[in-house]
Amino acid sequence: FCPIFCVWVMKRSAPNVSVPIREEATGDVAEAPRAEEPAASSLAKTIRNDTPLAVKQKAEEWATLCSRDLGAAVLEALSLTLELAGLPGALSVADLEAEPQVFLQRLPEWVRAQGLDPTMYPLSPRVSQGRRSVANFEKFWAFGLAVQNGAALLDSQLVASLSRWLLMLPNATIRSVRHSATVAALAVVEALGHQTQVLTRSHDTLSRQLETSRGTVNARQEAQLKRDVAASAAHKRDMEIARNQLLETTVPQRSRDVNEVIRLYTLNEVERLMKQDPELYLQNKWTARVFLMLHDQAVDVRLKAINVIAQWYSPTAKRSAAVQEHLGQFAQRALTHLVERVADIDAKVAAAALRCLKVPALAERMKDEEFDMVVNMVIGSREDLVREEAALFINSHVFQDPGICQKEKPKKRGAAADAGRDEDRPEGEDDEAWGGGGGDSLKDLYNSETAVSMLVEYLENYMGDKLRITERVVGAFWPRAPALTHWSTMVNLALVGESQRGQGFDPVSPKQRQALLYIMEAAVRRADDEVKNARPSEKDSTALRMNEACSHIIPEMPRLLEVCRPEEQQTLLLSHICKLLVEYASDNSQFQVLVNAKALCQALRKAMEGQSPLDTIKYCCDSLLALARCFGEAKTTFLDLARSIHQDCAELLKPENVERLEELRPVATRFMMLSNRGIDMSFGSVEMMDRMLDLLNKRVEWMAEKKAAALEAQARGETMKDEDVPEATSRGPEPDGSTGAQRKRRRKGARPEAVPDMRLTLLLLECLGTSVMWHARMSFWVETQGSASPDEKDAAEKEVSELLQGFGELPTLRAALPRAVAKFRAICCRLIETDQSQYVQFHAYFAYMFVLQLALGVSDRLGLEVDETGSVVRPTGWGATFEVRVPKAHMEVLWTYLNGHYVNICDVEAEGVTFNGEGHRIEGKGVGVMPAPSQGTMTSVRFLTQQCMAHPGEDPEASGMLTLSRTDELMLAVLASRAVFESDIEDIGAGPLGLLLLTQLERAKPKPLREVAHILLRKLREHSKISEELAIQYFAMQKEAVESVYRCSGSEAALSLSLSFCRTWGVRGLPWLERPLYVILKEAVVECITRDRARLPLLEAFMPWVKGDFVPDSRCKDIEDALLRRCESVGIEGEITMHVNRMLHKLRKSAPEPAAEVSKTVEDEEVEITAVSQGSASPGLREQALTCKKCGAINLPDSNFCRNCGAKLEAQPHASPSSGSGQTKMWKVSEDAKARALAWVATLKTDPEQGRAV
């Protein structure tokens, strides 16, 4: 298909085509009649907007034009291609005669000259009806070439003319041209494929005629048949060559195109062409081309490639034996890469890969590790769509037939559905297996038990210690597995063999029962969530499912709890199931459930009184409280249990039982849980609270002694040596395996038996906090009701007396409450100050903050503060309310604790942390059911303390098992900081703690901590709208924070924090903040001027506050005058002192005057360096600055190199004051000085000796 040959043939075969004729004799170009330009957008408009029938008519007209005027037809087709690329009129008759490469080279310039935008073109999928345009464009080529004779297409050179351009246009630099030309080229390839099939059939027919006519026709007829056969063979061969040339040139290049739309279209066409010509399956270059698209960066391309491969191996696809063999060999090479796609970042691609691998032809070829990887996606993926597809894979290839998923019914309607049902149904399947009715109950029961048993076996074999995420498996199977809602089957399997022991029925193993309970708990939780979030049309079905769960599970709950009581994890799961079902049944009283209330209450009580985890007690308590709404037996059981726990706790808290603290811990756990769920477990007993405080005080004293001993040993510089250990401790290992050194460390930090350990300390703090809350709540309620009427007050006192159950009296409780609160706050502060456990310090800190907030909440009726003498303070606040104050000693302890956190985490890498200023999402860790299912609603603080309270085994404090990582310490600092900005106490949020938190806004601090500081600053800004006093407080807090950082870390850190504050102010000043900013800025600037000049660098930190939109010129003038007066009063020459001079220029809204030799065109953003000659420097400036020994220039105090000559500066003692003054000069750093300094630094790094010489 040489271009010159094509033009020559076109002239000979189509003499009516008007093209320019080159005159050899004169060399001039004769103007021949030109072909008419195609009607403007007539054909393109049909392609874009009309129906396929209209496109077919236009295609037939074009085919007629091909037979009449080939040049015009080619021009019209190529012009249509370019017009659909958004370039109408780009091709002319002259361009058609020239080389396509020349046209493509000048095309971008022509587009720019015409001012066209090729990014939006008719075939673009982003354009309205873009997909229709592509489909119609394909139909145009299909219809236009199909109606013509294949031999005529070749003889007329139409194929050659089109191929000449379509081989080059897909390589254009303009994306729209490549897209449109690719559509045209591949549509022509498909049309030529059909023509090839027609020519092949014609050739076969002629060959058969020739074979059958031998001896029956004369020689002339036989010769004519032979010529026809040869001609048809030649036409077939030429058509195949033309088609393959277009195909093999276009597809490889466009499948690697930079545009994903073109790559996706190319892949779609390859799929269609392979269906058209099955022989392409036998060529690796086409199957490998699809395989390479699995790794495409575009999601749609990867998704399409996977779907194409899935169709190759579909069981319904009919392939020849050769094709099947080739695809089988190809699968061995491509399977590993296909398995990798199940972990694709896009859920649709991963789900499509799983769906593809579910095909038996691929699944049976997977290796064991690949198979396990696919199976584990049901729990390993975070996407519901991927987990559902993995569940279907498990159902097909892990479970026995027919699996546990219900088969989808054929989507047919009416009589067609009935007629096609028998055809679609696999042999041996009855109506019930397909979701129909009419099956017997025995078979239903068998299928249900088989399905649940298979799921339990899968969990046991594949999940192992990952049972805590069984909800993912249940969620994946939930829409398609009816057995997950067969509650009676699950209950029967859990109880199988328990009542028929010795009669041939073996109970399920503990591991199987645990897996079954995980399934049941996840299914009940899923059903409960669906009831709460159901749409109106689904409420009845979801409620029916939950009602059936209550009917089948609640009556058997006592037996289940009894069977599972020896296993803590099973009891925990059952208690959560009971909580969900009982609360649902109580809230939906219209639904009647047969419940043996007495048996269920006793079973729940036994579960709570055993050695149960915290969550088990909580769930059982919630179940009892829900039952108490419907049954008086449950209320009685709850109160009896509460009294029993109270009495046990009071007995163990007596002084003579201090050695029984290990027995106290489980009792205190139940005490804490019941207090948190619904009743005051102290029953108003002040004596019980005092005994708890005494235990905490013993720990404080022990910790104080340990701390004092450690400080004393550190002061003496003493160290323990092995020879100092008595001989009794130097012997060999004990029977428990501990060595002498280990025994020595245990003895050195041994905890007395009368001192509570870390877990009990946390429990006591929690019990005291909840008891204080209950006492304040009851007292406040009585006071509130008493203000309404005497009758309501009597009713309130009567109800409170019922709550106290005779263990305490309301007047005594009310009188002792303020002193109890004061003692509790004091013991919390002492724990924060002395305790060595970060968990105890953290919980004590939050307990103190909680009590402060509680006191503020009841301050309009109750006073929880006492004075120095221990007397209750009188209401002195606004509106006769009781003020809440933080004593100075307590504030120092809280400040030291919070500051200690900030110091410890200053170098923590915050990259990749799982929490931020808003909180922490807890992820499950460890083996078993911990964390419990309820932790989706658990706060970060509660989880942190609960995992320590419920730590099993020996004391974690002595063993050092509960240690905090650096990231955990950062989380503690973030949570402790949140308590500051969430507090409504002015002494906290706007006091020293708030000030300390604001210092963490500097950019060098960890990001989660900066977020908390930013929230506090926003809170102060919102409060500034209330009054001018609060607005002044808003800026005063920032001023104090900057000054504090300056005192601790220097001027650079103060400037960084100041800039961070300024970034939060916005781009424009607010009217109500103008005067407060002026007041604080003036105060800050004046306070920087002192006689010792120590605070002068602090002026640099406040310079960013002088902003034109925030501080008007008149107020800047006032600040300037005050600054100069202050300088004069302390003996500082303000105009020539460096930092003061810079502040003055900032206030005057003008930059310092540059030297005469400096061009005024220098950008304002260039850094200015102040340098003065030694003789003209002022005394104050010389005291602050460093003098260069080489050139005599005075530089900034913190400089390392001279900014005039680049020499290294040495620290110098302050010069004595002398008289005289000079005018300050300002220079820009010259480029030569910069170059010399940088070169010197580079030399110093590589060769120190040579650098010093330089």
Side-chain angles (χ1 to χ4, degrees), residues 1032-1054:
I1032 292 177
Q1033 182 189 69
Y1034 168 64
F1035 288 109
M1037 291 279 290
Q1038 300 177 57
K1039 165 183 166 291
E1040 292 294 334
V1042 172
E1043 292 177 349
S1044 301
V1045 171
Y1046 173 76
R1047 288 192 295 268
C1048 298
S1049 304
S1051 58
E1052 292 185 1

Side-chain angles (χ1 to χ4, degrees), residues 1152-1163 1166 1168 1226-1230:
E1153 296 181 4
E1157 63 272 18
V1158 180
S1159 174
K1160 294 185 179 180
T1161 61
V1162 179
E1163 297 182 3
E1166 186 175 353
E1168 296 182 354
M1226 311 295 295
W1227 284 291
K1228 300 285 183 179
V1229 177
S1230 65

Side-chain angles (χ1 to χ4, degrees), residues 951-982:
H951 192 276
E954 61 177 330
D955 182 11
E957 186 177 17
S959 60
M961 298 179 65
L962 288 177
T963 57
L964 292 173
S965 64
R966 300 287 287 162
T967 304
D968 293 336
E969 291 180 4
L970 175 59
M971 187 185 70
L972 288 185
V974 170
L975 297 176
S977 302
R978 283 183 60 86
V980 174
F981 87 78
E982 290 176 351

Side-chain angles (χ1 to χ4, degrees), residues 1039 1043 1079-1088 1095 1102:
K1039 165 183 166 291
E1043 292 177 349
V1079 172
I1080 298 302
L1081 180 58
K1082 180 179 179 180
E1083 179 183 337
V1085 170
V1086 171
E1087 289 178 354
C1088 290
R1095 292 169 59 90
F1102 289 111

